[in-house]
Each structure stands twice: as structure tokens, then as C-alpha cells.
Amino acid sequence: MPDMNPASASREFDALIVGAGFAGLYQLLCLRDRLGLKAQVLEAGDGVGGTWYWNRYPGARCDSESHAYNYTFSKELFEEWEWTERYPDHAEIRRYLNHVADRFDLKKDIRFGTRVVGARYDEAANRWSVTTEAGETLTAQFLITAVGCLSTANVPKFPGLESFQGDWYHTGQWPHEGVDFTGKRVGLIGTGSTGIQAAPVIAETAAHLTVFQRTANYSVPAHNVPLSPEFKAWVKENHAEIRRIMHTNTNGQAFFIEDRSAWDVTPEQRQALYEAAWAKGGLQFRGVFRDILLDKAANDTAAEFLKNKIRSIVKDPATAALLADIDHPYAAKRPPIDTDYFATFNRSNVSLVNVRAAPIERITPTGLRTRDAEYPLDIIVFATGFDAMTGPLLKLNIEGRSGQPLAKAWEAGPRNYLGLQVAGFPNLFTITGPGSPSVLCNMPVAIEQHAEWITDCIAHLRAKGLARVETTEAAMADWVAKVNEAANVTLLPQAHHSWYLGANVPGKPRVFMPYAGGMARYRAICESVTAKGYEGFVLSD
Ligand code: N01
């Protein structure tokens, strides 16, 4: 007999979704409004935004251009929303996601301030039991993770951190009220996309900024600007075409990678093309030649151009040499874009320390000590990245059939099918999970494709009177091989310290995590799987 108790009815759902960022919001809309499911989002934060709820560090701004950093499912939504800048900052993205949540009346089905700490599959009932930090248990037939790829902060375990008498922050858990750097001696650890965005802004007010660099990085100017009325009008007029490009190209951006090789042009023409791309700025620099990420010699031409730019901007030759001492192919790590990053090192209140040569040994009560020197600091900023892709999923403590922990199933690295499902974990879907294009694609595009695929799959089950979908070991083995093959034809695995490989977290298995075969190919694979009756999945009652 069904449980008629209203208290338990409020804890039983068709679908539970973890996370209220781009992915969770759209998944809720799809399941609730298109399929009529009773769905609920559980969100640890007190508002929508996902990664943008937490990442409020100085300079936090998207590297996709605003006209491409949108949902594309609603023409009306696209037409009524207007971005103000070429790249939206974190606050504007939160305003956008709040607008979406309000426009589609999503917040009533989101529980904020609710951190998921466990999820267990009950085979007999075919339901997931999800536990929250507050000790509540909620159940659902389907469990969908929308936890993002970069949401588990990686704070290196430097000895002595607890003794530090100043303040320290990780950029991915930034205080909402901001941090006042005025007159402070600030140490910034990390020179990935985050550190490169934060350094110039911190330097504006800090008494002194010391940047601790372990791996030198490329960066291309963002050239952020307020959007002109003409550009805004152009975007609205060309919405259909912009959407078409985003949905058919390899990276989900609103531009195509040029179909020419670096060797199709003369050295002078190549230089001119790089100069034009540098002047234009942003991620399109990667798209100048089709073989930049495939052919090391082609990549070297881009790398040398970018290193020369560093040498031409940074006045002190020793600092310039250290910044340009880059040991990996361009774009083999996620390529940052910046606003005045290299020029920041020309300021008298900024210095650069090589912590590859002399590693950080400990945090002291008054600062930081490397092998060679002591640096007195008032504030330490950890721009040290994330336990990417697998971290947010493993933190949920998911247990599948027979109580098998996901952590055990992924002991040697993530194994799944299409980045969407793991054998032994029926009715669990992982939006933009490892093994999907995710971080190698403009995220909203990857997210929409996954949310829609999951929605179609659940609709199919319901239409057939089935209750369970689960991938197989064989499908996973085949997919893991395809993910490796796709990575290995590119230069991506050559950046041996990349978070794509899990290399930034000590002890994490080294597995190339995202699917590098491109969004267009991935989309076609998913469509073919559906057309073949969900090939690689077992559907049952
Ligand atoms: O993190 P990262 P992030 N001692 O891992 C260093 C997205 N994002 O937050 O390279 C000393 O890239 C580490 O050094 P190394 C984007 O996808 C997007 O910057 O490991 N240093 C590295 O320099 C991006 O790729 C946007 O040797 C240590 C840095 O910390 C992803 O988020 C903006 C260390 C970490 O770089 C992550 O970027 C920001 C240690 N023990 C982020 N441990 C935009 O949209 C780590 N490091 C623009």
C-alpha cells in the first residue's frame, strides 16, 4: 500500500538531482516540465550558480564569450537576456542563472543549504536513498549528479597551514563579502586559469603580491570589453546561426576551428595569423590552425609565438625567462585567457618565485617557506585548482548494487560508458562525468546535450513500462578504450602535470579524463546509441 504520510511523500521523488548550476537547473526543467516527473534538486549552497556560486575570487570571469555562454533550448530566453560584457563575470552569470530559475519557476523544487553526503542503491526497491548532511534521507528512482567538474577545492597539504596567523583562502570557496587586500602582503600559489585571472586584480590593491609559480603557463589576452548596442543586436539577429555553430562544431563555442594546417601557409603568413588572433584575443587563438593540438611541430609555432609575447611584455629579463619557461605544448593544459597578467609583473609591488626549482616546504605562522627562502605574508590565496571531474562525484559517497562504493569501482581511475553511467549503479546518471567532452567543450552545450539525453532515456523507459537502465562492463571497457584513443591522437596527454590527467592531486590515478574526440562526434555517438535501442545499456523492469 502506498505510504500516505505527507512527511514521507515530501521525501520520495521520481528523480533527485544533485547541484543547482547550469546542469541541475536544466535537468530539473526537463524532467519536471517535459516529463511531468516529481523531481527535486539538492544544493549545498544557498543559491543557484554551481561553480559560479563558489568561485567569486577577484577577476573570476568566464572564458567562453557571453553570447555562447547560454542555454540554447529557449529562443525566448535567449532573446530576452542581454549580457553586458564580452566575457561575463561571476556575478553576471549568477544573475543569469537566477533569471532562468525564476523565469521557469525552478526554485520551488530546489532545496538550498542541503549538502548530499551519501547515496545508496536499494536493489529490491529499485530506488536510491540519498542522505544529507543534516541527516535527512530522501529517495528516488533516478539519481542524477549535476555537481560540475571543478567543484572540489584542492588545497595542498602544506605542513604548518594551521599555524598561519594571517588569513588564507581557496579561490573556489571565496567569501561572499570579498577580501580586502589593501596594504597587505599577499602570496598567490598557482598559475592556472584562476591564478592568472586573480593576480592582476589583487596586485591593484595589495602592498605586495608574490606569485608562487610551479608550472609556467601560456596565456592569451581576453580583450574583455562592454558589448556595444550593435553587437547585442547582431547576436539577437543571428541567434539561430550562432546556435547552429555551437551545436555542430567540436568545442561547443560560437566559432569553428579553421580548416587549415600550420604548414599550409608561409612562416610570414603564420606570424600574421597569430598576430591577428592575439589582437582578437580569447580562446579562438586555439582555432587558428586545425593541427595545433595534433602535430607537435605545428604546436611549437604557436608556443614560440606566445613565449615571444611574454618576453616582449615583461621588462625584467629574469622574470620574463621564468614566465616563458613553459614545458608543455600550448593548449595541452587548459589555455588561460587574461587581462594584463604578464604586464602585472612589471609592477614594482609584484614578484615571481619559482617553486619548481625551490618547492614550498611549509607554511609558517608569519608566511611561507620554500627550500631557499622565507616570505612574510598577511594573506595566502590558494589558486591551486580542483580534484577535477571525479572529486565531486566521489565526495557524494555513492554506493551501487550490493553496497559497492563508487570509490572502489573507480580505484584505478574513472570507468563508465559515455561519461553517463557506471555498471553496478542502475538509474544513476552523471551529467558531464569523466569520459564525456565536458571541460573540453563550452560547458552549457555539453550540459544541455547530457540533460536532454538523460530525459529522453527516462521517457523511453516510461513509455516501454520499464523501470531500470544500467550500462554493462563490456560497454564501459569499450568506451574507456575510446576515451584513451581519442586523447592519444592529440597532444593533450603530453602535459604530464595537467588536471585533465588528475596529476595535480597527489595519489590520484593518472587517467586522461575528458573525451577528446570532440563534441560533434560525441553527440553523434550518443544519437547512434539511442537509435540502436540504447546499445550498451540494459533496460529492464
Ligand atoms: O586550477 P589549475 P585553476 N605547489 O589546476 C598550482 C577552469 N577555470 O583553478 O601546474 C605549488 O589549472 C598548479 O601547478 P602545476 C578551467 O577549466 C576557468 O587555475 O600543478 N603549486 C597550477 O599552477 C581551468 O583549467 C576559468 O604544477 C601548486 C595551479 O596551482 C580550471 O578551472 C577561470 C600546487 C592550479 O591550476 C582549473 O583552473 C578559472 C602545489 N602543491 C578556472 N598544487 C575561466 O572560465 C597546485 N599548484 C576563465
Side-chain angles (χ1 to χ4, degrees):
M1 197 169 82
D3 186 347
M4 304 295 278
N5 179 344
S8 53
S10 70
R11 294 196 298 266
E12 291 173 4
F13 298 91
D14 296 320
L16 283 168
I17 300 159
V18 188
F22 267 93
L25 294 181
Y26 186 49
Q27 189 67 75
L28 171 63
L29 185 151
C30 288
L31 296 182
R32 188 193 69 182
D33 298 355
R34 295 186 193 155
L35 301 192
L37 263 55
K38 187 179 169 197
Q40 179 97 167
V41 174
L42 307 176
E43 165 57 54
D46 289 326
V48 301
T51 199
W52 300 106
Y53 177 85
W54 304 102
N55 280 272
R56 302 178 188 221
Y57 60 86
R61 189 179 286 286
C62 188
D63 56 6
S64 292
E65 297 191 39
S66 53
H67 62 286
Y69 204 67
N70 288 292
Y71 290 112
T72 64
F73 67 85
S74 163
K75 184 167 180 290
E76 295 71 32
L77 172 64
F78 191 89
E79 281 174 353
E80 72 199 17
W81 182 260
E82 222 166 60
W83 295 105
T84 62
E85 294 180 88
R86 180 174 174 188
Y87 307 91
D89 77 355
H90 61 98
E92 190 168 27
I93 299 171
R94 281 196 303 281
R95 282 198 293 280
Y96 172 69
L97 290 174
N98 271 291
H99 168 73
V100 172
D102 292 336
R103 189 189 193 285
F104 296 99
D105 200 14
L106 299 174
K107 287 181 184 166
K108 68 176 188 221
D109 293 307
I110 304 174
R111 288 191 194 202
F112 293 108
T114 305
R115 184 177 292 281
V116 171
V117 294
R120 193 184 170 93
Y121 179 67
D122 175 345
E123 186 153 8
N126 186 30
R127 289 184 77 76
W128 283 92
S129 284
V130 173
T131 14
T132 71
E133 201 169 36
E136 209 181 348
T137 300
L138 309 164
T139 72
Q141 182 184 1
F142 299 101
L143 176 62
I144 300 156
T145 61
V147 288
C149 301
L150 297 159
S151 53
T152 304
N154 168 45
V155 180
K157 294 184 176 52
F158 294 122
L161 181 57
E162 67 297 337
S163 73
F164 184 54
Q165 287 163 3
D167 297 317
W168 68 267
Y169 308 93
H170 185 278
T171 49
Q173 296 168 336
W174 203 255
H176 290 195
E177 64 282 9
V179 175
D180 185 4
F181 295 103
T182 314
K184 306 282 189 189
R185 296 162 303 175
V186 182
L188 173 68
I189 305 175
T191 52
S193 304
T194 301
I196 282 177
Q197 283 186 326
V201 186
I202 297 173
E204 279 169 20
T205 52
H208 194 88
L209 171 67
T210 309
V211 177
F212 296 93
Q213 170 186 287
R214 187 165 70 179
T215 302
N217 217 336
Y218 302 95
S219 187
V220 169
H223 295 317
N224 186 41
V225 281
L227 293 179
S228 65
E230 295 72 33
F231 186 82
K232 290 180 189 175
W234 176 84
V235 169
K236 283 197 200 307
E237 277 160 28
N238 291 280
H239 167 236
E241 177 60 6
I242 293 169
R243 185 180 186 281
R244 186 191 69 78
I245 295 171
M246 287 163 65
H247 280 234
T248 51
N249 68 12
T250 166
N251 54 24
Q253 297 288 352
F255 60 85
F256 284 108
I257 290 176
E258 297 289 340
D259 188 20
R260 71 181 158 221
S261 159
W263 312 121
D264 289 345
V265 296
T266 65
E268 295 72 28
Q269 287 167 330
R270 206 157 47 231
Q271 184 73 9
L273 287 165
Y274 285 143
E275 285 290 359
W278 176 270
K280 192 169 187 184
L283 291 178
Q284 288 195 50
F285 193 91
R286 264 186 312 185
V288 173
F289 297 113
R290 65 163 188 264
D291 42 3
I292 282 188
L293 257 180
L294 299 173
D295 171 354
K296 176 68 168 56
N299 191 287
D300 285 346
T301 65
E304 205 40 45
F305 175 89
L306 293 171
K307 290 177 187 178
N308 281 334
K309 283 290 181 195
I310 299 172
R311 294 176 193 120
S312 72
I313 296 168
V314 179
K315 296 193 176 116
D316 172 51
T319 306
L322 187 51
L323 288 165
D325 185 18
I326 309 175
D327 63 357
H328 53 278
Y330 166 64
K333 287 183 110 166
R334 167 77 168 219
I337 64 172
D338 71 275
T339 300
D340 297 332
Y341 176 64
F342 295 115
T344 294
F345 292 93
N346 293 333
R347 296 177 67 117
S348 57
N349 70 333
V350 175
S351 46
L352 182 67
V353 173
N354 180 355
V355 293
R356 166 132 327 176
I360 298 169
E361 286 190 336
R362 65 179 300 115
I363 308 294
T364 67
T366 53
L368 179 159
R369 194 165 73 219
T370 68
R371 193 197 61 197
D372 290 352
E374 178 104 27
Y375 298 88
L377 299 170
D378 303 306
I379 297 178
I380 302 176
V381 175
F382 289 92
T384 43
F386 302 89
D387 181 355
M389 307 201 77
T390 51
L393 293 169
L394 295 176
K395 245 174 69 177
L396 298 177
N397 295 311
I398 300 173
E399 293 176 22
R401 276 182 200 284
S402 318
Q404 182 192 203
L406 184 62
K408 180 89 186 136
W410 283 4
E411 220 167 15
R415 297 183 73 249
N416 63 15
Y417 181 41
L418 299 174
L420 276 165
Q421 264 222 333
V422 185
F425 297 79
N427 290 355
L428 168 71
F429 297 99
T430 52
I431 300 181
T432 62
S436 71
S438 59
V439 292
L440 298 179
C441 179
N442 182 25
M443 284 301 281
V445 173
I447 284 167
E448 278 187 332
Q449 187 263 346
H450 262 187
E452 288 168 6
W453 192 94
I454 292 165
T455 305
D456 290 347
C457 179
I458 294 176
H460 177 81
L461 284 176
R462 298 228 148 178
K464 298 276 179 203
L466 299 171
R468 214 183 306 242
V469 52
E470 182 181 356
T471 190
T472 63
E473 281 292 337
M476 287 204 306
D478 185 53
W479 185 247
V480 168
K482 285 200 168 70
V483 172
N484 284 326
E485 273 165 37
N488 289 337
V489 297
T490 72
L491 304 176
L492 289 162
Q494 292 193 18
H496 57 90
H497 32 48
S498 152
W499 61 258
Y500 293 154
L501 279 164
N504 61 325
V505 177
K508 187 166 172 171
R510 302 275 174 112
V511 172
F512 192 86
M513 293 185 286
Y515 174 69
M519 190 62 208
R521 191 185 305 167
Y522 177 79
R523 192 186 286 276
I525 292 170
C526 290
E527 283 168 5
S528 135
V529 163
T530 309
K532 291 180 188 158
Y534 291 92
E535 187 180 48
F537 294 95
V538 176
L539 280 48
S540 59
D541 50 18

